[in-house]
């Protein structure tokens, strides 16, 4: 294991920020917590001000989780589509928070709903990023049976991002849940294959495999740490790097 506390600054030109829907609900048990959404928007703003182009994928678990709906007897495809719609709601909330700060932001949905957001057109999305607009990709991949982790990895590859930043509740990848086990050990860096073999739970297997096949590094860090997102880009902070 290596510690990144004193790592040299690494400058990324374009990154994907992946966060869960649960990250938007703060201490509530459900839904959106506007102050928490605004705080995450602050993090994104601070990174964009560094000149880094930022795109985002936000999960929908704070509103509806397809797998849970399926487990309760709902037909899986229908449940997954409902989960995709939840991600659109979260994306619009984040767009509103970012625009309140004077930032330019576009929500791009894999499911057409032209009245509220743009349809996914790769070249248009890249152009938004080149114009320093924040792009939020909603509705996952547009297909059931795929998670927003896979959607984030897919879009990151399509947008030519240099890394995926996965914001979580803990400051990296551990061999077991650090909130339940005091002896949990954090990895400074870990390979894609180790993540899959040890079931480390960074992202689902299809997302990890897609990142591995395209050599796209995943940076796992704590979204609860104020300034953590920017800090890593400046070469500070604690995180885990998943790579070859």
């Amino acid at each position: 294991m290596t510690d990144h506390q004193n790592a040299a600054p690494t400058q990324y030109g374009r990154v994907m920020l992946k966060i869960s829907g649960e990250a938007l609900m703060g201490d509530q048990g459900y839904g959106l917590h506007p102050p928490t959404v605004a705080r995450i928007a602050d993090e994104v703003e601070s990174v964009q001000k560094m000149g880094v182009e930022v795109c985002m994928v936000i999960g929908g678990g704070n509103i509806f989780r397809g797998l849970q709906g399926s487990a309760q007897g709902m037909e899986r495809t229908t449940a997954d589509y409902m989960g995709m719609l939840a991600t659109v709601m979260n994306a619009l909330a984040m767009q509103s928070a970012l625009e309140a700060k004077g930032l330019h932001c576009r929500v791009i949905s894999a499911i057409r709903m032209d009245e509220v957001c743009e349809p996914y057109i790769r070249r248009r999305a890249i152009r938004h990023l080149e114009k320093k607009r924040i792009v939020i990709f909603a509705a996952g991949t547009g297909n059931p049976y795929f998670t927003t982790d896979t959607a984030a990895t897919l879009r990151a590859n399509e947008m030519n991002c240099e890394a995926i930043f996965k914001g979580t509740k803990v400051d990296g990848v551990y061999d077991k849940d650090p909130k339940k086990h005091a002896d949990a050990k954090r990895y400074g860096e870990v390979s894609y294959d180790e993540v899959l073999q040890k079931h480390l739970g960074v992202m689902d297997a299809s997302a990890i495999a897609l990142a591995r096949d395209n050599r796209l590094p995943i940076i796992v860090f704590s979204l609860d740490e104020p300034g953590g997102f920017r800090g890593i880009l400046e070469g500070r902070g604690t995180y885990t790097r998943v790579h070859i």
Side-chain angles (χ1 to χ4, degrees):
M1 294 186 197
T2 57
D3 197 344
H4 289 284
Q5 289 282 9
N6 299 310
T10 303
Q11 180 61 50
Y12 294 99
R14 180 180 296 167
V15 300
M16 165 66 73
L17 175 62
K18 167 62 171 71
I19 60 177
S20 67
E22 287 88 346
L24 304 186
M25 66 187 186
D27 294 330
Q28 302 174 155
Y30 176 83
L32 291 156
H33 183 238
T36 299
V37 178
R39 181 181 63 77
I40 295 171
D42 286 338
E43 297 285 319
V44 175
E45 179 186 29
S46 69
V47 167
Q48 204 216 25
K49 283 184 174 178
M50 295 173 67
V52 178
E53 296 169 6
V54 181
C55 50
M56 301 176 68
V57 167
I58 307 171
N62 56 319
I63 299 170
F64 187 87
R65 186 176 287 280
L67 273 175
Q68 288 179 354
S70 177
Q72 292 170 8
M74 188 178 293
E75 196 264 326
R76 172 67 189 270
T77 302
T78 299
D80 279 357
Y81 277 120
M82 291 174 67
M84 290 180 218
L85 296 178
T87 72
V88 177
M89 295 170 70
N90 284 338
L92 292 172
M94 183 58 66
Q95 180 187 42
S96 178
L98 290 164
E99 288 181 342
K101 300 178 182 301
L103 302 174
H104 297 285
C105 179
R106 297 289 186 274
V107 173
I108 297 181
S109 172
I111 298 175
R112 291 193 73 106
M113 46 187 83
D114 297 350
E115 287 76 14
V116 294
C117 48
E118 296 181 12
Y120 178 70
I121 299 171
R122 177 178 172 270
R123 288 178 177 271
R124 182 186 291 177
I126 288 175
R127 187 67 178 137
H128 285 321
L129 290 168
E130 290 172 347
K131 289 186 174 182
K132 308 304 178 186
R133 295 168 183 155
I134 296 162
V135 175
I136 306 175
F137 295 106
T141 66
N143 301 290
Y145 296 94
F146 289 93
T147 66
T148 50
D149 281 344
T150 302
T153 311
L154 173 65
R155 297 294 184 233
N157 280 307
E158 290 181 300
M159 294 299 107
N160 301 315
C161 291
E162 292 155 10
I164 298 174
F165 280 72
K166 167 102 186 218
T168 68
K169 292 284 186 184
V170 292
D171 60 357
V173 179
Y174 286 79
D175 60 350
K176 47 193 167 185
D177 189 343
K179 294 184 177 179
K180 296 178 181 176
H181 304 276
D183 61 341
K185 294 181 180 178
R186 186 180 64 82
Y187 294 90
E189 51 188 43
V190 64
S191 71
Y192 304 109
D193 288 337
E194 276 186 277
V195 169
L196 293 172
Q197 290 163 7
K198 297 178 180 177
H199 303 285
L200 294 177
V202 177
M203 288 180 163
D204 65 82
S206 59
I208 293 294
L210 184 59
R212 179 191 62 194
D213 293 348
N214 293 278
R215 294 178 177 267
L216 181 66
I218 303 166
I219 311 295
V220 183
F221 72 105
S222 173
L223 198 64
D224 291 340
E225 182 70 30
F229 188 16
R230 180 184 176 114
I232 294 168
L233 288 162
E234 291 178 334
R236 297 180 284 104
T238 305
Y239 58 94
T240 299
R241 180 183 173 89
V242 184
H243 59 105
I244 289 291

